[in-house]
Amino acid sequence: MAEQSAEKTAGKSPSQHLFAAVLARVHAVCATLAAEGGWPADIDFSRVVVEPPRDATHGDMATNAAMVLAKDARAKPRELADRIAEKLRADDLISAVDVAGPGFINLTLKPSAWIVELRSVLREGAAYGQSAAGAAQKVNVEYVSANPTGPMHVGHCRGAVFGDALSNLLQFAGFEVTREYYINDAGAQVDVLARSAFLRYREALGENIGEIPEGLYPGDYLKPVGEALAQEHGDKLKAMNEAAWLPVVRNKAIAMMMDAIKGDLAALNIQHEVFFSERSLIEAGNNKVAETIDFLRAKGDIYEGSLPPPKGKPVEDYEDRVQTLFRATAYGDDVDRPLIKSDGSYTYFASDIAYHKNKYDRGFRDLIDVWGADHGGYIKRVQAAIKAITGGKAALDVKIVQLVRLLRNGEQVRMSKRSGDFITLREVVDEVGSDAVRFMMLFRKNDAVLDFDLAKVIEQSRDNAVFYVQYGHARGHSIFRNAREEVVPDLPEEAGARIAYLAGAAVERLTEGAELDLLKRLAVYPRTVEAAATAHEPHRIAFYLYDLASEFHALWTKGRDLPHLRFIINHDAELTKARLAMVQGVVSVLASGLAVLGVHAPTEMR
RNA sequence: GCGCUCGUAGCUCAGCUGGAUAGAGCAUCGGAUUUCGAUUCCGAGGGUCGGAGGUUCGAAUCCUUCCGAGCGCGCCA
């Protein structure tokens, strides 16, 4: 039933969308004036923008060209604006130009401009809004990276959804995206996992293990691991000492936990291309961490020294000792950071440097990590390390996702049912569905705390943004069904055929103000995609979709009182087709945006 | 003590990388309303953008400094 628009459209030329087209014309005018007026040759047009004015009464678009260029052109902004405006008036897209305020140039486009844009939507279908801005540049997005010590709990899901939607968005904007998961399978916590699983193994062999001791993972989810071990090894492991059985049990437990996690992610429609094992970095004979430290040492970024004791809460067993330190302060961090623990093993940071170096070595220059709020203090040191390793040739953007407060009808839901047993991601998805989870996780800026109300997100009302947007898409299809029965019997059902059919409609008959407003809303989609992609902010897509759906619903509602505004006009098949073409434009863009968010676009709301 | 993030209408939040008179949804108040299947619409009131300085044609947005909240602060991951 869902009509996803994820179809690959590679090779298709991206649309020169309307704002970009007008910007190009403004640039052309400025270039002409520059030639005529003898402006400096190196004049920079990059700050010139064309954007929707805050107040729609000012026109359709506004440009700051005159204000930005005035200084270099040695002219007063208003005067320069007048000269630019005069030339723009000759443009065939533009019906009115006026200069306002300190030198804004307001442009009103001819209605035909929006009609033409609608034709692009219909021609490009799912590809509309796609951009070449990424220029096929490789981007690595690392997200989730939950420890493989148990199933995913609700705390993980925001970062998971955010990273996934951001990846979709970047892909749609023309980047070549790799979705990556870093498996922390080398630290002490996986040894704890192994010991916990070993207990379950003994249990599976019939032993009474009693209470799970403090410090081990108590969850029932380890029982299947114990059973699998018993099946595979019988009681052989019991005879071994810990040093012998631990790696065996650990590998099995990690593998099974990762399977569980992948299943949880699949329930949210998330798939990574690369699962990168931390342990693989320190394999005997191929120790990437040691290599990385040597690499940094050769650059003079490693030294032996001691650090001042940490401020804030005192560390009980603090011992002042000389250790191997990375000179993070030389790259913007606050203190230098240790790389080797007193037992000789590497710190997490040390392997993390090696891991990020590995990303760089694989050709990534654009790195994005999605982390939870409690890791905020870790950003500077990793960025410092990347600066040191790549000589500033790669950039890491760390996106911090804030906490989610889980509510039910406004009452806070306790995150752990009893000690050690968190509400799992799967429970939440099972209760409200992945669409609700995904959309609501994205309907807020990533760095703001988010309230997630289990009751509200399945409500069918305007309050519930997921419903409202999906309903917009479904309503479009409902209109198609009705139209087919009443006025346009040969309207194809299949999306591609329907779009092709409607592309031939007499869309120039769309002349109502409210209709043109809706077309204008469609036209800002490509811009929204680009802006959201460059800012790494998928939430902008969610808000855009909410606005578009609102406007669409509003127009539908107007038809209730004003029959001439209805989409289906019984006595006028040509006009009906034109309006269906507009509805199709809305449906296409809603489906496109929802696909970016990873949310289904249903054709009915049952 | 230091660092990071945040502070916008009564509430929940947008604000398009510096643009014009700061927006939306709830809530409140005032109207309208038997639907092209699917739980409405229009309007109004409500703001020193935490405070104070600064940068410039122009600041919610950038800088400085206070106030308040959250997170973090050698050999945890």
Side-chain angles (χ1 to χ4, degrees), chain A residues 520-590:
Chain A
K520 289 176 191 180
R521 178 78 65 180
L522 291 178
V524 294
Y525 180 59
R527 230 183 143 260
T528 306
V529 169
E530 274 189 19
T534 45
H536 299 165
E537 291 185 346
H539 77 272
R540 294 192 197 182
I541 303 295
F543 280 95
Y544 168 80
L545 292 177
Y546 185 73
D547 288 343
L548 174 60
S550 301
E551 201 154 338
F552 178 52
H553 287 306
L555 181 55
W556 185 90
T557 310
K558 265 189 190 141
R560 226 172 30 175
D561 298 332
L562 306 169
H564 72 279
L565 282 181
R566 295 184 178 186
F567 299 122
I568 299 170
I569 305 292
N570 281 303
H571 61 271
D572 191 342
E574 190 192 51
L575 182 57
T576 300
K577 281 185 209 170
R579 289 184 176 171
L580 291 179
M582 174 181 67
V583 172
Q584 179 61 55
V586 173
V587 164
S588 289
V589 171
L590 285 175

Side-chain angles (χ1 to χ4, degrees), chain A residues 204-522:
Chain A
L205 290 175
E207 205 176 310
N208 181 4
I209 58 168
E211 284 283 301
I212 306 289
E214 191 73 27
L216 293 186
Y217 298 121
D220 287 348
Y221 57 84
L222 286 174
K223 281 183 180 172
V225 180
E227 282 156 21
L229 286 165
Q231 191 124 46
E232 224 170 286
H233 300 279
D235 59 0
K236 274 187 294 193
L237 297 176
K238 271 175 84 168
M240 303 179 181
N241 58 25
E242 181 173 302
W245 60 251
L246 193 120
V248 177
V249 175
R250 189 175 57 202
N251 286 347
K252 183 71 186 173
I254 290 171
M256 287 183 72
M257 290 304 105
M258 283 310 297
D259 279 347
I261 287 171
K262 285 176 194 177
D264 291 345
L265 289 170
L268 266 180
N269 202 6
I270 293 172
Q271 272 182 313
H272 292 80
E273 280 112 35
V274 176
F275 287 86
F276 194 98
S277 156
E278 178 186 0
R279 188 169 290 277
S280 73
L281 289 166
I282 50 167
E283 272 164 357
N286 186 26
N287 191 327
K288 295 293 183 193
V289 181
E291 260 178 44
T292 302
I293 292 176
D294 288 345
F295 176 83
L296 288 171
R297 198 188 300 278
K299 291 184 71 235
D301 290 332
I302 303 286
Y303 68 100
E304 307 296 318
S306 62
L307 289 171
K311 302 278 181 10
K313 63 180 174 210
V315 179
E316 283 167 30
D317 56 346
Y318 182 78
E319 149 199 17
D320 196 10
R321 69 178 190 91
V322 173
Q323 50 191 343
T324 303
L325 298 170
F326 165 59
R327 205 181 296 280
T329 46
Y331 300 93
D333 199 2
D334 308 313
V335 286
D336 294 337
R337 305 290 179 176
L339 299 179
I340 297 178
K341 301 186 218 170
S342 52
D343 68 358
S345 64
Y346 299 114
T347 61
Y348 180 79
F349 180 50
S351 36
D352 218 14
I353 299 176
Y355 173 45
H356 282 88
K357 179 171 188 304
N358 177 282
K359 290 184 190 173
Y360 180 74
D361 291 343
R362 279 185 277 149
F364 295 106
R365 297 294 174 268
D366 221 338
L367 308 175
I368 300 173
D369 285 5
V370 181
W371 297 347
D374 52 341
H375 288 62
Y378 195 68
I379 298 175
K380 274 192 188 178
R381 78 188 69 170
V382 177
Q383 283 178 333
I386 286 172
K387 220 177 278 177
I389 278 170
T390 69
K393 288 202 208 77
L396 169 70
D397 186 17
V398 178
K399 302 301 282 188
I400 292 294
V401 289
Q402 266 294 349
L403 293 175
V404 175
R405 284 202 314 161
L406 201 57
L407 309 172
R408 179 175 272 117
N409 290 315
E411 299 275 316
Q412 185 145 10
V413 177
R414 293 195 5 250
M415 297 289 252
S416 62
K417 285 181 292 190
R418 55 175 201 273
S419 90
D421 195 0
F422 288 94
I423 294 183
T424 63
L425 180 144
R426 194 64 80 98
E427 287 173 277
V428 174
V429 174
D430 285 349
E431 180 172 337
V432 302
S434 90
D435 284 348
V437 172
R438 291 193 61 120
F439 194 96
M440 292 318 292
M441 292 293 151
L442 296 166
F443 201 54
R444 197 111 308 175
K445 277 185 301 199
N446 58 286
D447 47 16
V449 180
L450 178 148
D451 287 347
F452 185 85
D453 195 311
L454 292 163
K456 200 151 233 171
V457 298
I458 52 172
E459 224 171 67
Q460 303 210 334
S461 76
R462 180 169 192 163
D463 289 9
N464 178 9
V466 205
F467 166 78
Y468 207 58
V469 173
Q470 288 189 316
Y471 175 30
H473 186 266
R475 173 167 269 171
H477 280 269
S478 162
I479 292 165
F480 294 145
R481 285 188 288 271
N482 289 327
R484 202 173 289 123
E485 279 180 25
E486 295 171 34
V487 188
V488 193
D490 54 345
L491 181 68
E493 240 175 281
E494 191 273 321
R498 186 179 62 242
I499 291 171
Y501 178 93
L502 291 172
V507 285
E508 64 280 359
R509 291 200 57 190
L510 298 170
T511 53
E512 296 286 343
E515 292 172 343
L516 292 175
D517 286 346
L518 192 55
L519 298 186
K520 289 176 191 180
R521 178 78 65 180
L522 291 178

